[in-house]
Amino acid sequence: QVQLVESGGGSVQAGGSLRLSCAASGLTFSRHTMGWFRKAPGKEREFVAATTRSGGNKYYANSVKGRFTISRDNAKNTVFLQMDSLKPEDTAVYYCAAALTIRPSLIAGTNEYDYWGQGTQVTVSS
């Protein structure tokens, strides 16, 4: 049974930082592209960042580029999202997701991912 468990969420003031982790089990982690998505109240789930199997290629939404950094540790089956210079508009539930087969052109698509975590809340106050 595949499990993705996010942690590291919380409340922070604008300009602060948080580091999210997503621990994976029940799958061959190094064979999966890993992504982070978020869903704010009243909005649809949106792409945040993704990293390919080896971590060699990384993709970011324009809204977080330069502030967020995705990384992975295949030895520990964990993907991270370092979030710096946080803004109130970053407030959302953050989800990690895993995709076995995905084309780079579709890496931001929520329908392309096979497995999802339960999410962790991030709240940024002004």
Side-chain angles (χ1 to χ4, degrees), residues 17-90:
S17 298
L18 284 173
R19 189 190 195 210
L20 305 184
S21 299
C22 172
S25 61
L27 52 70
T28 306
F29 184 75
S30 60
R31 295 183 60 193
H32 286 74
T33 292
M34 298 300 297
W36 285 97
F37 292 77
R38 66 187 182 187
K39 187 180 187 307
K43 296 186 178 181
E44 294 190 353
R45 191 175 299 190
E46 65 174 3
F47 171 76
V48 175
T51 177
T52 51
R53 299 172 182 181
S54 66
N57 291 312
K58 301 176 183 182
Y59 305 83
Y60 297 94
N62 287 336
S63 59
V64 306
K65 202 170 293 183
R67 300 188 298 122
F68 290 11
T69 303
I70 189 171
S71 62
R72 66 189 295 162
D73 184 339
N74 284 350
K76 296 182 178 180
N77 289 1
T78 302
V79 62
F80 305 96
L81 185 68
Q82 176 67 41
M83 306 186 295
D84 298 318
S85 302
L86 282 161
K87 304 176 181 180
E89 50 264 43
D90 294 319

